């Protein structure tokens, strides 16, 4: 236990065990390392500033703000109405609508908790009103909301790209198909449970109703095309795309739907600032912890240990995914990227894994972590909206976690 790198992790685990917020525990552990080695406050401030003063990270607050604006101006309600008319009397129709809308709305905000809150406000009461179990409805929305960090514009991919110096547009492109696979995976237990419990669908919409709903939803349907089309068309970078998304949302709310009042705008800016601050504080302190661990050589030792477990890339990737799954129960995704990626980078180099492929695998795993207790941010959001206990929603989410694990294996 004389190894300083061991004490770094021990300090962090003790603080987390005492109930200290994860971001603070990471920051205090890293700062304690600087104090012990008498490196000075200048390095602390420079390190924290360097962690967040990156142009690519500016996309995070703007994408969060864009998603909130588009939700507050009624985009989510219009999308739900349109898809519901198209699915009609299919068994568990509203549950399948929920998954489809979660997949589509993931292409707007890039944040799991944000998507869960935006769609849960609309879909959970609607499903409960149609006879769906509250735990089932809230667990489904929480699971569907996690797709937001897989399908672009994904905040998770932005952070991964910054840490690993990987192309963010390439990561965005690589996340589309896996996100759809996860969505299809969630539809299987949603349909089977709905059939077993007798959750019936509704009628098909008439042509006139569908056409009107399509016209009402057109601005929401165009949002992902504008964002992603601009990126892949070389018109703007992901960070610039986030700014464009914000102005697109403001245009839709102020000019098209004309329901973006000053009061709504103030509340949206306030909520976006709070959500962005939470993410950036974690980025700042987790980066400090990762730097301390790398300086002590802890990350290299951990990487060497993982490589020593097996020379088979298949066995190693299974160990890595098991480690990530456990970490997802205890840490938020941003912290996991900063703590574990310095360990995994040498492993990736040893086995010659494509960093884009590994980024997708890691992100899908961390999406599952958003609905696996005890640290399950999406479950907390959905449980709060549904006014049920965490124990109730944790039991209901098990089939969806299994479905997402199946998608991860694919």
């Amino acid at each position: 236990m004389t190894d300083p790198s061991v004490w770094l992790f021990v300090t962090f685990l003790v603080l987390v065990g005492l109930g200290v917020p994860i971001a603070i525990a990471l920051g205090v552990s890293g700062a304690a390392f600087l104090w012990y080695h008498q490196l000075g406050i200048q390095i602390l401030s420079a390190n924290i500033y360097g962690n967040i003063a990156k142009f690519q990270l500016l996309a995070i607050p703007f994408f969060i703000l864009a998603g909130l604006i588009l939700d507050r101006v009624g985009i989510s309600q219009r999308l739900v109405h349109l898809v519901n008319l198209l699915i009609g009397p299919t068994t568990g129709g509203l549950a399948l609508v929920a998954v489809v809308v979660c997949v589509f709305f993931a292409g707007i905000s890039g944040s799991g908790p944000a998507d869960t809150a935006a769609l849960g406000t609309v879909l959970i009461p609607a499903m409960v009103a149609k006879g769906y179990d509250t735990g089932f409805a809230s667990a489904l929305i929480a699971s569907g909301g996690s797709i937001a960090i897989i399908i672009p514009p994904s905040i998770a991919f932005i952070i991964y790209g910054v840490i690993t110096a990987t192309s963010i547009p390439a990561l965005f492109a690589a996340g589309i198909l896996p996100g759809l696979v996860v969505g299809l995976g969630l539809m299987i237990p949603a349909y089977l449970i709905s059939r077993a419990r007798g959750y019936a669908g509704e009628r098909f919409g008439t042509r006139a109703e569908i056409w009107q709903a399509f016209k009402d939803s057109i601005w929401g349907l165009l949002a992902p095309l504008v964002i992603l089309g601009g990126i892949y068309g070389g018109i703007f970078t992901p960070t610039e795309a986030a700014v464009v998304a914000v102005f697109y949302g403001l245009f839709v709310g102020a000019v098209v739907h004309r329901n973006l009042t000053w009061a709504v705008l103030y509340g949206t800016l306030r909520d976006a600032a709070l959500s962005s601050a939470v993410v950036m504080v974690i980025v700042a302190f987790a980066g400090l912890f990762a730097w301390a661990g790398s300086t002590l050589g802890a990350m290299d030792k951990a990487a060497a240990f993982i490589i020593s477990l097996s020379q088979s890339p298949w066995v190693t990737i299974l160990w890595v995914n098991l480690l990530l799954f456990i970490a997802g129960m205890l840490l938020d995704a941003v912290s996991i990227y900063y703590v574990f990626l310095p360990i995994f980078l040498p492993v990736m180099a040893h086995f010659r894994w494509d960093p884009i492929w590994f980024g997708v695998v890691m992100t899908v795993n961390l999406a599952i972590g958003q609905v696996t207790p005890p640290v399950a941010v999406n479950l907390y959001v959905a449980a709060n909206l549904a006014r049920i206990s965490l124990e109730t929603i944790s039991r209901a989410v098990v089939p969806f976690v299994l479905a997402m694990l199946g998608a991860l294996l694919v």
Side-chain angles (χ1 to χ4, degrees):
M1 293 294 288
T2 57
D3 189 339
S5 62
V6 174
W7 283 110
L8 178 71
F9 286 97
V10 168
T11 302
F12 168 67
L13 293 174
V14 168
L15 290 174
V16 171
L18 292 174
V20 176
I22 293 171
I24 304 302
L26 289 167
V28 169
S29 302
F33 160 79
L34 294 176
W35 172 80
Y36 178 80
H37 290 276
Q38 300 180 343
L39 295 178
I41 194 67
Q42 296 86 355
I43 293 181
L44 175 65
S45 58
N47 190 285
I48 290 176
Y49 176 77
N51 289 332
I52 59 178
K54 294 181 173 68
F55 177 73
Q56 300 96 321
L57 293 180
L58 281 174
I60 294 176
F62 282 114
F63 275 130
I64 290 175
L65 177 58
L68 288 174
I69 292 174
L70 289 169
D71 172 60
R72 302 289 166 83
V73 300
I75 292 296
S76 55
Q77 295 94 323
R78 290 174 170 83
L79 290 174
V80 169
H81 180 57
L82 172 63
V83 179
N84 199 31
L85 292 175
L86 293 172
I87 288 183
T90 306
T91 299
L94 199 52
L96 300 181
V97 167
V99 177
V100 172
V101 175
C102 282
V103 169
F104 188 87
F105 209 78
I108 297 176
S109 75
S111 167
D115 273 22
T116 302
L119 299 176
T121 304
V122 178
L123 284 164
I124 293 176
M127 294 178 71
V128 172
K130 294 296 182 181
Y132 288 80
D133 175 72
T134 306
F136 168 80
S138 53
L140 177 61
I141 298 302
S143 302
S146 66
I147 300 174
I149 71 169
I150 307 172
I151 289 180
S154 163
I155 289 174
F157 280 144
I158 294 172
I159 292 175
Y160 178 91
V162 169
I163 297 174
T164 62
T166 304
S167 168
I168 294 174
L171 288 166
F172 281 1
I176 296 174
L177 182 57
L180 295 177
V181 171
V182 173
L184 290 172
L186 290 176
M187 284 185 172
I188 295 173
Y191 174 80
L192 294 176
I193 293 173
S194 296
R195 187 175 67 177
R197 298 180 180 179
Y199 297 148
E202 301 182 26
R203 65 177 179 84
F204 283 116
T206 65
R207 289 185 179 181
E209 288 175 329
I210 293 174
W211 176 242
Q212 184 59 49
F214 176 78
K215 290 191 294 182
D216 291 340
S217 307
I218 188 64
W219 291 98
L221 296 171
L222 288 174
L225 297 178
V226 171
I227 297 170
L228 300 180
I231 294 174
Y232 298 127
I235 301 173
F236 35 68
T237 67
T239 303
E240 292 165 345
V243 178
V244 171
V246 169
F247 280 93
Y248 180 87
L250 292 173
F251 173 79
V252 172
V255 178
V256 179
H257 297 319
R258 298 182 181 180
N259 55 0
L260 186 64
T261 64
W262 287 109
V264 171
L265 181 59
Y266 171 77
T268 303
L269 291 170
R270 179 196 60 212
D271 294 343
L274 178 60
S275 298
S276 301
V278 170
V279 174
M280 299 311 290
V281 166
I282 295 174
V283 168
F285 290 157
L288 174 63
F289 181 89
W291 176 82
S294 297
T295 303
L296 288 169
M299 305 308 184
D300 291 336
K301 295 174 185 175
F305 173 74
I306 292 175
I307 294 172
S308 70
L309 292 175
S310 174
Q311 288 303 307
S312 168
W314 292 100
V315 174
T316 303
I317 195 64
L318 288 175
W319 277 113
V320 167
N321 274 284
L322 178 61
L323 177 60
L324 287 173
F325 182 75
I326 296 172
M329 297 180 180
L330 305 173
L331 300 172
D332 62 276
V334 177
S335 299
I336 291 173
Y337 280 120
Y338 276 92
V339 172
F340 286 94
L341 271 176
I343 297 173
F344 293 152
L345 285 173
V347 179
M348 293 162 57
H350 177 80
F351 289 104
R352 298 181 180 178
W353 288 337
D354 185 333
I356 295 176
W357 168 80
F358 186 83
V360 172
V361 172
M362 184 175 184
T363 302
V364 172
N365 197 314
L366 298 187
I368 301 172
Q370 293 191 324
V371 290
T372 50
V375 180
V377 287
N378 287 13
L379 288 191
Y380 282 104
V381 172
N384 183 58
L385 291 173
R387 297 182 180 179
I388 59 175
S389 66
L390 185 64
E391 290 76 15
T392 299
I393 194 173
S394 295
R395 289 193 296 270
V397 83
V398 171
F400 302 115
V401 170
L402 294 176
M404 295 174 75
L405 286 171
L408 174 62
L409 289 174
V410 171

